[in-house]
Amino acid sequence: MASYELVGIEAAEIKNLTTEDLYSEALTDALYAIESRSEFHRVKGLILNRARALDIGAEYKAYLESVESDLDEYNDTAEFNHTTNFGLDGWQSLNCGQWIADRNGIRKKTSKLFASRSPIQPVEILENRSSGTEKVRLQFWKNGKTRYIIVDRNQIAAKANIVKLASQGIEVTSESSGQLVQYLSDVINLNPLPFSTAYSQMGWHENLFIPYDKEAVFDGEESNRYLFKAFTKKGKIGPWCENTAKYRKNIAVRLAMGASFASVLLEKIGALPFVFHLWGKTGTGKTVALMIAMSIWGNPKMGATVRTLNMTQNALIGQAAFLNSLPFAGDELQTIKERFDNYDKLIMRCTEGVDRGRMIDGQKAAETKRWKCAFLFTGEDKCTRPNSGAGVKNRCIEVEVDSELIENGNTAVNFVEDNYGHAGKLFIEKLQAINPESLRFEYNNMMTSLAEAAETEPKQAAAMAAILLADTLSRELFWQDEKPLSFREVMPFIASREEISIAERAYSFIIDIIAKNYAKFHLDDNRGEIWGGEKDGAVYFNATVLKDELQRAGFELSSVAQTWAKKGYIRKAKDGRTTHSTRVNGIKCRYVIIELPDDPEPDETDYDEVIDL
């Protein structure tokens, strides 16, 4: 029986066909095997023209319509029990119903239109617990190799979506997309495919912790796959405990490790994310301390669990959301200084624990990213400023490093690069065995006691209390011979209420300005600019100049004036205003009357020498 290759055939070749050729099964099969719909309609038109030339045009058109009707009816009513038979090592044979799936491609028995010319089949259903969506793992053949890809279920459920997989190696076109969608749906519905739980975020998922849950499957963005692989283990836990015990004799290193452990506690104790910042001159071993702290969880090399901060804010937030409960470690905060006037907005965005909403293509709301972790930073400067808001101050624990943290930093680096990742899993197992209520009770008691002892705000005490609790729990596991950290040891790293209050900081700043510009308030000592005057232990400060000086330092007079008045730092006018319309040095304008602080009384605990000039 003659065979026909109709794809690309020219009109001249069609003219040679006889009536017997036109009605032959071989020609009909060849016509309906054309995958491209445009090519199919072109060849079909040429064949119909030939039928008209043979004076059988109407009859032949009716014949083709009956063939197509039979195909449609057969596909709708027939039941098949075919199985995939691609002949490839490691490929399971799956029930594919009415589809023929072999090395020649995937098509229906009664149709020559291919769903795919290359082997492909679904092999696993994944329920993503992070996003609540269902995904499918596809197995496909590409360039002589078996490959896998995880896709959203809705991406293979519509023709318009599935064609986008062509960019990821799937052989699909606009012509074959509908067939491929139907084939994959049939195989999924006809087979009890393995079902797995997938996660696109690390950390806590109820009482499971990723990556330590053996049944969990990674289903995150490709950009995070390297970071996911960094949370692994190497070397032995014994030597790690012995060496880190020596490093922890330095309080800054011990607190850094405590902050790293504390990150996975936040979810359990209901605490907010916080920033732990090691800052000081270069060459003191801040990066080494950061690597030691991250060796708890995985590979502490730069680019692995320790990241450079030379990235965009969105990239940083994306990685924090992926880490979820695990600490974000960022080295050299000053590398992004040029992009920000200050770090306040970055700190607030990090510690809010939720990303701002955004739209996709102007319509659909993107999935909101959330996280609850500690941020461990290093840098040459403090990450807060004198005029940073109280919210920023509350969320930061800043530890100044003015001397070498570890005697031989290179040795420490080499050691933790060969021994890491064991402590984290053991610490998580300990937390999984503890009732969260008891953890919260212990944490809240510690936070309350610390806030009272340090005379600080509860939110500032919250971060240090999480570090202290983590230090206690980890010490019980790995360093039983260590003494517990006392409140006295951590007090220097806790900001007091006065340091946190923006009004207190603004008042301290303006008192310094008055002292620095003494002559501008005393007409006899000054022939230049006059800002006001001094009388009865108070300074009459020109309100406009005061406002300008505060703004220059990042403070706003309107934001602090009422607090100043309540604290007695300034005198209110009879009408309740914080400015007075009065005459100073013969000039009448509005002044703010600022009470000067009393001289401090030295006592046994005051180590500042009081000198009477």
Side-chain angles (χ1 to χ4, degrees), residues 222-266:
E222 281 301 310
S223 58
N224 288 325
R225 189 172 293 277
Y226 182 79
L227 183 54
F228 178 83
K229 291 181 178 178
F231 288 88
T232 183
K233 57 186 179 181
K234 181 181 180 182
K236 296 182 178 180
I237 183 66
W240 183 85
C241 291
E242 292 173 11
N243 279 275
T244 52
K246 294 184 292 185
Y247 307 147
R248 287 166 57 84
K249 291 178 180 178
N250 185 291
I251 185 67
V253 177
R254 183 167 175 177
L255 288 175
M257 296 185 76
S260 185
F261 278 117
S263 184
V264 299
L265 266 179
L266 301 182

Side-chain angles (χ1 to χ4, degrees), residues 513-534 539-542 545 549 584-585 591:
I513 289 294
I514 292 170
K516 183 179 179 182
N517 296 275
Y518 176 84
K520 293 178 180 178
F521 299 95
H522 298 83
L523 190 61
D524 294 340
D525 299 325
N526 179 34
R527 300 192 180 193
E529 205 173 63
I530 298 296
W531 287 0
E534 181 183 356
V539 166
Y540 289 63
F541 207 131
N542 182 297
V545 177
E549 287 299 308
V584 176
N585 298 321
Y591 294 89

Side-chain angles (χ1 to χ4, degrees), residues 265-273 372 443 462 466:
L265 266 179
L266 301 182
E267 179 77 24
K268 295 291 184 182
I269 60 180
L272 294 172
K372 188 165 280 191
Y443 166 71

Side-chain angles (χ1 to χ4, degrees), residues 357-402:
R358 55 173 55 90
M359 305 296 286
I360 300 175
D361 299 328
Q363 297 179 350
K364 182 183 177 183
E367 179 186 346
T368 301
K369 295 178 179 179
R370 299 177 184 276
W371 60 93
K372 188 165 280 191
C373 63
F375 292 81
L376 279 63
F377 294 153
T378 68
E380 295 178 359
D381 305 306
K382 294 186 73 171
C383 61
T384 62
R385 304 174 303 157
N387 63 337
S388 292
V392 174
K393 287 282 188 179
N394 268 326
R395 289 166 167 80
C396 293
I397 300 292
E398 298 181 277
V399 177
E400 184 178 6
V401 180
D402 56 8

Side-chain angles (χ1 to χ4, degrees), residues 106-123:
I106 301 165
R107 65 195 183 281
K108 289 181 180 179
K109 179 177 177 62
T110 54
S111 173
K112 300 303 180 181
L113 184 62
F114 281 79
S116 175
R117 287 285 188 176
S118 61
I120 182 172
Q121 62 185 21
V123 293

